[in-house]
Amino acid sequence: QVKLVQSGGGLVQPGGSLTLSCAASGSIDRIDAMGWYRQAPGYPRELVAVITSGNKKTYVDFVKGRFATSRDNTWKTVYLQMNNLKPEDTASYYCNADEGYGLGLSSGSWGQGTQVTVSS
């Protein structure tokens, strides 16, 4: 199984930037893709970005042009660069590994989550 440990996050003013990291260990050769999710209080978890083993990147509309995900060649570290942050980006952010069964599965490997707060 894959273990994911997140770092980064914190408090930033509107318009600021943050970078989240997701460090993978264990059976990283099984990773087909990594997804970034976020969840704000009272709202369901939502997908933000995906990066695949072929380095294809997809983003939801509300972060396009502002967020960028990247990874190293071995899947040991995946990043989510967040620019021009808005108060509505405030949420807990999670990375999730697709080990061949898909993303967003409660039984899958998830990072512990990291809080991003955008406020003046």
Side-chain angles (χ1 to χ4, degrees):
Q1 193 170 6
V2 175
K3 180 180 179 181
L4 302 175
V5 178
Q6 295 179 230
S7 59
L11 174 65
V12 65
Q13 292 186 342
S17 299
L18 284 174
T19 301
L20 307 183
S21 299
C22 178
S25 60
S27 302
I28 59 174
D29 56 309
R30 297 173 55 179
I31 299 176
D32 290 335
M34 191 77 76
W36 287 95
Y37 290 78
R38 71 185 187 187
Q39 186 169 22
Y43 290 87
R45 188 173 294 181
E46 58 185 1
L47 181 64
V48 172
V50 177
I51 184 168
T52 70
S53 56
N55 215 35
K56 178 181 179 181
K57 305 166 188 179
T58 56
Y59 304 93
V60 294
D61 286 345
F62 50 80
V63 305
K64 279 183 181 177
R66 301 189 298 123
F67 289 14
T69 186
S70 61
R71 66 177 183 90
D72 62 21
N73 290 331
T74 60
W75 281 118
K76 286 186 178 179
T77 309
V78 182
Y79 304 94
L80 183 67
Q81 173 70 39
M82 304 182 293
N83 300 317
N84 190 21
L85 282 160
K86 304 176 181 181
E88 51 265 40
D89 295 318
T90 295
S92 293
Y93 285 72
Y94 301 85
C95 55
N96 168 232
D98 173 8
E99 300 167 63
Y101 303 102
L103 287 169
L105 302 176
S106 58
S107 58
S109 298
W110 292 83
Q112 80 277 20
T114 184
Q115 178 67 33
V116 172
T117 302
V118 185
S119 176
S120 55

Short mmCIF file of all heavy atoms in Angstrom, two decimals, residues 20 33 37 46-48 53 59 61-62 65 71 81-82 97 113:
data_model
loop_
_atom_site.label_atom_id
_atom_site.label_comp_id
_atom_site.label_asym_id
_atom_site.label_seq_id
_atom_site.Cartn_x
_atom_site.Cartn_y
_atom_site.Cartn_z
N LEU A 20 1.62 23.04 -1.78
CA LEU A 20 1.40 21.84 -0.99
C LEU A 20 2.25 20.71 -1.56
O LEU A 20 2.42 20.61 -2.77
CB LEU A 20 -0.07 21.42 -1.03
CG LEU A 20 -1.10 22.47 -0.64
CD1 LEU A 20 -2.50 21.86 -0.66
CD2 LEU A 20 -0.79 23.06 0.71
N ALA A 33 -2.06 7.56 -10.84
CA ALA A 33 -2.40 8.97 -10.86
C ALA A 33 -2.49 9.47 -9.42
O ALA A 33 -2.63 8.67 -8.48
CB ALA A 33 -3.72 9.22 -11.58
N TYR A 37 -7.72 16.88 -3.63
CA TYR A 37 -9.09 17.18 -3.24
C TYR A 37 -9.07 18.27 -2.18
O TYR A 37 -8.06 18.50 -1.53
CB TYR A 37 -9.77 15.93 -2.65
CG TYR A 37 -10.05 14.84 -3.65
CD1 TYR A 37 -9.04 13.99 -4.08
CD2 TYR A 37 -11.34 14.64 -4.16
CE1 TYR A 37 -9.30 12.98 -5.00
CE2 TYR A 37 -11.60 13.62 -5.06
CZ TYR A 37 -10.57 12.81 -5.47
OH TYR A 37 -10.84 11.80 -6.37
N GLU A 46 -14.27 17.77 -2.75
CA GLU A 46 -14.33 17.97 -4.19
C GLU A 46 -12.95 17.82 -4.81
O GLU A 46 -11.94 18.18 -4.21
CB GLU A 46 -14.91 19.35 -4.53
CG GLU A 46 -14.16 20.53 -3.95
CD GLU A 46 -14.85 21.86 -4.21
OE1 GLU A 46 -15.92 21.88 -4.85
OE2 GLU A 46 -14.30 22.90 -3.79
N LEU A 47 -12.95 17.29 -6.02
CA LEU A 47 -11.69 17.11 -6.75
C LEU A 47 -11.22 18.45 -7.28
O LEU A 47 -12.00 19.25 -7.80
CB LEU A 47 -11.91 16.12 -7.90
CG LEU A 47 -10.70 15.79 -8.76
CD1 LEU A 47 -9.63 15.07 -7.94
CD2 LEU A 47 -11.13 14.93 -9.95
N VAL A 48 -9.92 18.68 -7.17
CA VAL A 48 -9.34 19.94 -7.61
C VAL A 48 -8.44 19.74 -8.83
O VAL A 48 -8.53 20.48 -9.80
CB VAL A 48 -8.53 20.58 -6.46
CG1 VAL A 48 -7.77 21.79 -6.95
CG2 VAL A 48 -9.44 20.94 -5.30
N SER A 53 0.33 9.18 -14.56
CA SER A 53 1.67 8.65 -14.76
C SER A 53 2.26 9.13 -16.08
O SER A 53 3.48 9.18 -16.23
CB SER A 53 1.64 7.12 -14.71
OG SER A 53 0.72 6.62 -15.67
N TYR A 59 -7.62 19.97 -14.41
CA TYR A 59 -8.03 20.86 -13.33
C TYR A 59 -9.52 21.14 -13.43
O TYR A 59 -10.08 21.23 -14.52
CB TYR A 59 -7.26 22.18 -13.40
CG TYR A 59 -5.77 22.01 -13.39
CD1 TYR A 59 -5.04 21.93 -14.57
CD2 TYR A 59 -5.06 21.93 -12.18
CE1 TYR A 59 -3.68 21.76 -14.58
CE2 TYR A 59 -3.69 21.77 -12.18
CZ TYR A 59 -3.00 21.69 -13.37
OH TYR A 59 -1.64 21.51 -13.36
N ASP A 61 -12.66 23.72 -13.22
CA ASP A 61 -12.73 25.07 -13.79
C ASP A 61 -12.36 26.16 -12.79
O ASP A 61 -11.71 27.15 -13.16
CB ASP A 61 -14.14 25.34 -14.34
CG ASP A 61 -14.40 24.60 -15.63
OD1 ASP A 61 -13.42 24.11 -16.25
OD2 ASP A 61 -15.57 24.51 -16.05
N PHE A 62 -12.75 25.99 -11.54
CA PHE A 62 -12.55 27.09 -10.60
C PHE A 62 -11.10 27.26 -10.15
O PHE A 62 -10.79 28.20 -9.42
CB PHE A 62 -13.49 26.96 -9.39
CG PHE A 62 -13.50 25.63 -8.71
CD1 PHE A 62 -12.50 25.27 -7.82
CD2 PHE A 62 -14.53 24.73 -8.94
CE1 PHE A 62 -12.51 24.05 -7.19
CE2 PHE A 62 -14.56 23.50 -8.31
CZ PHE A 62 -13.54 23.15 -7.44
N GLY A 65 -5.79 27.90 -14.39
CA GLY A 65 -5.02 29.13 -14.52
C GLY A 65 -4.43 29.63 -13.22
O GLY A 65 -3.62 30.56 -13.22
N ARG A 71 4.92 16.60 -10.45
CA ARG A 71 5.48 15.49 -9.69
C ARG A 71 6.89 15.20 -10.16
O ARG A 71 7.29 15.61 -11.24
CB ARG A 71 4.62 14.23 -9.87
CG ARG A 71 4.62 13.68 -11.30
CD ARG A 71 3.81 12.39 -11.37
NE ARG A 71 3.84 11.79 -12.69
CZ ARG A 71 4.76 10.90 -13.05
NH1 ARG A 71 5.71 10.53 -12.22
NH2 ARG A 71 4.70 10.38 -14.26
N GLN A 81 0.85 23.69 -6.64
CA GLN A 81 1.18 25.10 -6.54
C GLN A 81 -0.11 25.89 -6.70
O GLN A 81 -0.83 25.73 -7.70
CB GLN A 81 2.18 25.49 -7.63
CG GLN A 81 2.46 26.98 -7.73
CD GLN A 81 3.25 27.51 -6.56
OE1 GLN A 81 4.17 26.86 -6.07
NE2 GLN A 81 2.88 28.69 -6.07
N MET A 82 -0.39 26.74 -5.74
CA MET A 82 -1.64 27.50 -5.75
C MET A 82 -1.31 28.99 -5.77
O MET A 82 -0.66 29.49 -4.84
CB MET A 82 -2.48 27.16 -4.51
CG MET A 82 -2.76 25.67 -4.37
SD MET A 82 -3.79 25.27 -2.95
CE MET A 82 -2.67 25.69 -1.63
N ALA A 97 -3.96 8.79 -3.85
CA ALA A 97 -3.28 8.01 -4.88
C ALA A 97 -4.23 7.02 -5.54
O ALA A 97 -4.98 6.31 -4.86
CB ALA A 97 -2.10 7.26 -4.28
N GLY A 113 -4.14 15.42 5.13
CA GLY A 113 -4.83 16.69 4.95
C GLY A 113 -4.01 17.84 5.49
O GLY A 113 -3.23 17.70 6.44
#
